[in-house]
């Protein structure tokens, strides 16, 4: 993957190389990175979802109003619609999750619903650290044991809105990959997708011994079952609930 050039450097400690000065952002034009070719296909890779429950951006609204007046000066004499006092908070609970398929044919999901938190040192070699329901600074983190990559066929990392308003673009969500060597890889979720409830973020595939990460960022209006159909996983889905906080 030449677009990375020589950005990747070794020597970063496992679980925390976020202090590096290099960040690679996967976009529509730069969708794929080979972990194997960059020497980053070992150790425990950390995948972090960071998001915030954002309040209404009053500055942005005022800027839009100014633009409207410049285009239509006569509207200065039109009374402004009275808005309710106080910022409008976007109440959203995002969940980070992963569908997995191992080389032996085993398939399943790692997610907060049903407390399917996975295992790091045994199948499926993917583990969720916990559930962030409030958009805290640490977010949600998924660990992938790349030392067992020979056992992994493919992973689909995705995000779904467990509760709240369907408004991915208002959460300013970012999914960041932290391999044990090299820079972190960022995938922002800033595209407008009205009413979308889930989003496939990226796939990690093991093809002939090469581990590659491919940006997906595909929004769907349903939940896990719809993502399953889109990527052909073939799992059976039922209604799930979180344990009480």
């Amino acid at each position: 993957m030449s677009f990375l050039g020589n950005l990747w450097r070794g020597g970063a400690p496992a679980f925390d190389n976020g202090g590096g000065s290099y960040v690679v952002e996967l976009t529509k034009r730069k969708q794929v990175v080979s972990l194997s070719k960059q020497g980053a296909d070992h150790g425990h890779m950390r995948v972090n979802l960071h998001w915030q429950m954002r309040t209404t951006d009053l500055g942005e609204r005022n800027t839009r109003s100014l633009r409207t007046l410049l285009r239509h000066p006569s509207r200065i004499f039109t009374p402004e619609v009275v808005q309710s006092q106080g910022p409008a908070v976007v109440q959203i609970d995002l969940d980070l999750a992963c569908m997995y398929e191992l080389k032996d044919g085993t398939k399943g999901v790692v997610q907060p619903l049903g407390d399917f938190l996975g295992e790091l040192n045994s199948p499926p070699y993917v583990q969720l650290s916990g559930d962030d329901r409030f958009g805290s600074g640490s977010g949600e983190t998924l660990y992938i044991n790349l030392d067992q990559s020979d056992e992994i066929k493919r992973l689909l990392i995705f995000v779904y809105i467990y509760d709240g308003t369907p408004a991915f673009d208002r959460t300013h969500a970012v999914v960041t990959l932290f391999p044990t060597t090299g820079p972190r890889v960022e995938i922002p979720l800033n595209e407008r997708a009205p009413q979308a409830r889930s989003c496939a973020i990226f796939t990690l595939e093991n093809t002939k011994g090469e581990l590659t990460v491919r940006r997906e960022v595909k929004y769907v209006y349903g939940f896990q079952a719809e993502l399953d159909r889109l990527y052909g996983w073939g799992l059976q889905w039922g209604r799930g609930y979180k344990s009480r906080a």
Side-chain angles (χ1 to χ4, degrees), residues 77-238:
F77 302 106
T78 303
E80 185 176 359
V81 177
V82 177
Q83 303 289 342
S84 60
Q85 297 299 316
V89 178
V90 179
Q91 300 285 350
I92 300 178
D93 179 9
L94 295 182
D95 281 348
L96 180 65
C98 172
M99 293 185 206
Y100 61 84
E101 181 178 0
L102 304 182
K103 289 291 186 68
D104 65 2
T106 302
K107 298 179 182 181
V109 65
V110 174
Q111 63 178 16
L113 282 177
D115 291 326
F116 294 114
L117 301 183
E119 295 288 344
L120 190 60
N121 295 311
S122 59
Y125 309 111
V126 177
Q127 187 168 7
L128 190 65
S129 64
D131 179 24
D132 171 23
R133 302 190 183 187
F134 306 103
S136 67
S138 59
E140 295 191 1
T141 300
L142 193 74
Y143 294 98
I144 303 173
N145 187 349
L146 297 183
D147 289 334
Q148 301 295 329
S149 61
D150 287 344
E151 306 297 326
I152 298 172
K153 181 177 180 180
R154 60 173 179 160
L155 304 176
L156 171 64
I157 283 68
F158 63 98
V159 175
Y160 58 89
I161 299 175
Y162 174 75
D163 189 23
T165 306
F168 273 106
D169 59 319
R170 294 285 301 281
T171 65
H172 293 228
V174 177
V175 173
T176 307
L177 288 69
F178 296 86
T180 55
T181 60
R184 60 187 184 270
V185 180
E186 291 188 352
I187 306 175
L189 307 184
N190 52 14
E191 299 176 17
R192 293 188 60 81
Q195 304 306 311
R197 305 292 306 192
S198 306
C199 180
I201 310 301
F202 71 89
T203 53
L204 186 150
E205 293 187 312
N206 188 342
T207 305
K208 297 181 179 180
E210 181 181 1
L211 282 182
T212 58
V213 171
R214 175 180 293 276
R215 174 189 182 273
E216 299 292 334
V217 189
K218 294 181 180 178
Y219 296 90
V220 300
Y221 298 101
F223 291 96
Q224 293 91 327
E226 189 168 345
L227 287 172
D228 185 316
R229 288 192 294 271
L230 183 62
Y231 287 89
W233 233 266
L235 299 176
Q236 297 294 322
W237 298 93

